[in-house]
Amino acid sequence: MNPWEIEDSGISEESVIQNGNRMFCGNGFMGYRGTVDEADKSSMTGLIVNGIYDRQGDKWREPVNFPNPLFIQLSFEGQPLTLKSDSLNSHVQKLNFRYGIFSRKTLWNCNGAELTVESERFLSMSEKNILCLRYKITSNKDITLGIIQKIDEEVYDANGPHFKIEKKSDVGEGKCGEILMCRTLEKQLPFAVARISDFCSDTITLKAAVPQIITVYAAVFTNLDENNSPMAPVPVEQFASISVLQAEKAGWETLLQNHKKAWDKIWEDGDVVIEGDEEARLAQKNLRYSLYHLQSIAPRGRKALSIPARGLSAQTYKGAVFWDTELFIFPYFLYTQPELACEFIEYRIKTLEGAKRKAAAYGYEGAFYAWESQEDGDDACSDYNVTDVFTKRPVRTYFRDKQIHINAAIVYCICQYVEVTGDTLILQEGGLEVIFECAKFYISRCIYMPLKDRYEVHDVIGPDEYHERVNNNAYTNKMILFTLQKAVEFAEQQTETSPSPASHSFTKYIPLAKDICKKLYIPSPNAQGLIPQFDSYFDMEDCSLETVRSRLLDPKEYWGGANGVASHTQIIKQADTIVMLNLFDKDYDSAVLNANYDYYNPRTEHGSSLSACMYGMVACKTGRLKDAEEFYKKTSCVDISGNSKQWAGLIYIGGTHPAAQGGSWMMVVYGFCGFSIRENKIQIKQNLPAAWKKVSFTAMVGKEKYQVNVTREGYELCRK
Ligand code: BGC
């Protein structure tokens, strides 16, 4: 069994959709779902390019699903050969996640002839606009088949259509292929998709046991691509045509070797090696699978892009960027490829104007970042994010209006970046402005309570989305405090050294910011050491998860909002106070960590894939190794097992889960290895599972790159 491979032979509708996610291939510029070559929109095929969105009418804005240039379908006696055909004998598909290579082997029985299709595809990691497919057909008897090869323009859309085709043309140089010149509907963004095949007929006559191999090269270009100069943009179709012809000239073998070399380079620093027995090998596989997914969606090929909450795997969650990136995904890149981590910050700098528009629209100062952010930073989160299963009516949710903790996650991330890399340039290039604008928003959002002589923060939603519009969410308040402290610190430093225009804009807020820092109410532990998630949390009905679940009348019912089964109970969706205790563990003693872990864990549905890793890390910090191992399994298996939540009310929310994948890395490195940075020095407080002998990973701190080897007995740091 290849430790870098997963396989599946499911052909049910559900398996096809799940494998679309599980066997996803991507190179950061674009992603392609793990569907078979002949799949069409009914199988939710998908080719998503990072950062390209469109809106149809008043439906949700979402990523554009591009025309599929790798479509090949065989037919026998006029009947298409698909996974649903009666003639299907067997099917297996695989993903090699060391190199992002999808493959399949499918057998059909065509009137006594056994027909085998084997194919392999990859999205080139070295040539970001190129996709390659090799398709091999073999029959044990002479046979003639029909074959359709095309750029399939009939794409799956959740809220489409999103483009029109303006022109179809030949690919040039007499090659067999085509170019589609398209334009998105809302922003009229031009893009082109090109394809060349080395087989040109619509029938194939096979001799017994003599394989026919078809190689397809495809190219996808938008006029926003990095290699297209904004000053003198080359028409995208010209780009696509040149690139696809070049790809064809380079040939499959060369492209594959370059692609593999690029992945080898990624793994040099991006890998984490877990040594030990069988269980450790499983943990290793799950971790590498998670890291593969992160690497295949990390923005490459265009500047200042981030990672959407469902990666590039689907149109779910509107292809939007959430706090997932900053708090869950960012740490892995920070220590292994800080230049990519920096892109996430650049993305927030780029979208600051959108955040300012949002703050102003609510009547606040500064910037209020989009809960669901797309290319311009305007909020894609709609007022009605859930559909009621009973009435079929949209349910008003307040995620967009009230999850103000998003700002602090961004500030936290910038501060981490500066602390770990020592790179302060990002501050001058917009980072400071982001911090100050976020702080201004919080200053205008905090309320002074004269009778209590303290500031409070009302009407928010914390990470636990089931309880909307609460007051003094402990996590939010603590993160606001962090933001304001950092803003003051940076503003004072800047005015002392080189006053930047950004710090100047914050100077007049410093006294108020300092006052809030002194008097902001941070819910503190009660006599039992428990911190209330928000005001009156402990007064809500205290029942078990099972009781709440038993009240569901429909399995797809939404648990939160005004009438949800959890809304009026202490049952929460995901880690909330525990996120706070994890980020700020040094501010609390271990009795508080223990008490809150014991209290909140049984009351948490873990209904979000962001939950397990946070509990897992606190479990490590409090010496609950068994729990931690369970949480690790949960976070690292979300996508490899496909066992994730697929519905929120009637809305499909499937796709891949980068936050849980980033959570796998955090659990291993921060959790089991107890890795942290104190005063620029690496600290290790390991607590490895019994089956693990050693964990090795790369950590870049300042200008130094270290190989960190952690065993049960100790650890070593070697310069790399
Ligand atoms: C979670 C959020 C998360 C979002 C995207 C929601 O279900 O509650 O915390 O940011 O999914 O992953």
Side-chain angles (χ1 to χ4, degrees), residues 309-310 317 322-324 371 463 465 573-574 608 610:
R310 291 293 177 269
Y317 276 59
F322 292 61
W323 70 312
D324 305 33
W371 179 241
E465 291 184 336
K573 178 178 177 184
Q574 65 199 89
S608 156
L610 278 59

Side-chain angles (χ1 to χ4, degrees), residues 406-450:
I406 176 72
N407 271 13
I410 295 166
V411 173
Y412 187 86
C413 162
I414 298 176
C415 295
Q416 285 258 297
Y417 177 81
V418 171
E419 191 188 324
V420 171
T421 62
D423 170 13
T424 51
L425 205 62
I426 192 77
L427 293 175
Q428 310 310 329
E429 291 177 345
L432 270 184
E433 203 182 339
V434 169
I435 296 173
F436 294 146
E437 294 303 318
C438 287
K440 283 184 203 169
F441 170 76
Y442 283 149
I443 291 171
S444 67
R445 191 66 172 66
C446 290
I447 309 168
Y448 180 65
M449 309 295 282

Side-chain angles (χ1 to χ4, degrees), residues 66-78:
F66 280 52
N68 171 15
L70 300 183
F71 182 89
I72 302 190
Q73 186 175 72
L74 299 176
S75 59
F76 177 63
E77 294 178 345

Side-chain angles (χ1 to χ4, degrees), residues 4 42 78 84 93 128 132 165 175 192 206 228 284 325 333 349 364 401 436 459 492 516 541 645:
W4 289 90
S42 65
K84 288 188 186 147
Q93 63 183 68
K128 300 295 180 313
C132 302
I165 296 167
K175 300 285 178 190
L206 292 171
N228 203 353
Q284 166 78 90
T325 310
F333 290 106
I349 294 172
Y364 295 107
D401 322 64
F436 294 146
D459 199 10
E492 290 187 333
I516 300 177
E541 184 189 347
K645 212 178 191 179

